[in-house]
Amino acid sequence: MADRTGMIALHGNALTLTGTEIKVGDKAPNVTLTGNDLAPVELASFQGKVVILSTVPSLDTPTCDTETRTFNQKAAGLGADIVILTASLDLPFAQKRWCGAAGVDKVTTLSDYREAALGKAFGVLIKELHLLARAIFVLDRRGVVQYIQLVPEVSQEPDYEAALATARKLL
């Protein structure tokens, strides 16, 4: 588990990512997250579908709010074979409250609060803040990573269309 400094920044200040760096072609690690109902959710349970996995620092911040709402809007036109997951270290209660207030019902929010297992396994845990970096992973139906976007400036939005185009090609 190597630290990587300078791959991302927040308002221009370099941050350190910790965990195992995932590459395109790698099998996605099967981590257990927590659903909004406090039930454990294994990432592998989504195999058979194309997965857009978005990691964000906190749903209660403007950019994360915008990103998750945007993916929720885009999800309506994707069909049942593509699932969009948003993971953060927010507590499941906060995620559920946020989804209700934001009207987000097509993106599944999952919490990595227990052990930051996803953050460590995907190499997107920000060491200084103990939050997840802004990143997108697209997994094919077998759970193999086909696309990665690590947003270099945490306060900026990702390239939605690149991730969505990759997911559509995998159908």
Side-chain angles (χ1 to χ4, degrees), residues 102-154:
V104 169
D105 58 357
K106 293 171 184 59
V107 169
T108 300
T109 55
L110 298 168
S111 178
D112 197 22
Y113 83 100
R114 290 183 192 260
E115 300 169 12
L118 184 142
K120 293 172 187 170
F122 281 73
V124 294
L125 182 62
I126 302 172
K127 189 174 189 174
E128 296 86 350
L129 304 174
H130 195 73
L131 295 171
L132 300 182
R134 187 173 315 286
I136 299 176
F137 301 88
V138 178
L139 315 179
D140 67 18
R141 294 175 190 266
R142 297 173 292 120
V144 175
V145 178
Q146 298 296 329
Y147 174 87
I148 299 171
Q149 181 184 152
L150 181 62
V151 180
E153 172 52 57
V154 175

Side-chain angles (χ1 to χ4, degrees), residues 36-126:
N36 290 172
D37 60 357
L38 299 179
V41 178
E42 289 191 8
L43 188 56
S45 69
F46 296 96
Q47 281 193 7
K49 294 189 182 281
V50 173
V51 175
I52 298 173
L53 172 61
S54 166
T55 63
V56 300
S58 175
L59 293 171
D60 283 318
T61 62
T63 306
C64 300
D65 178 292
T66 298
E67 178 178 336
T68 307
R69 287 176 191 258
T70 299
F71 272 128
N72 191 63
Q73 292 166 349
K74 303 282 186 189
L78 295 177
D81 287 335
I82 297 177
V83 63
I84 301 177
L85 310 176
T86 295
S88 72
L89 289 170
D90 294 315
L91 292 174
F93 309 108
Q95 289 182 337
K96 184 175 184 177
R97 175 197 45 76
W98 181 88
C99 286
V104 169
D105 58 357
K106 293 171 184 59
V107 169
T108 300
T109 55
L110 298 168
S111 178
D112 197 22
Y113 83 100
R114 290 183 192 260
E115 300 169 12
L118 184 142
K120 293 172 187 170
F122 281 73
V124 294
L125 182 62
I126 302 172

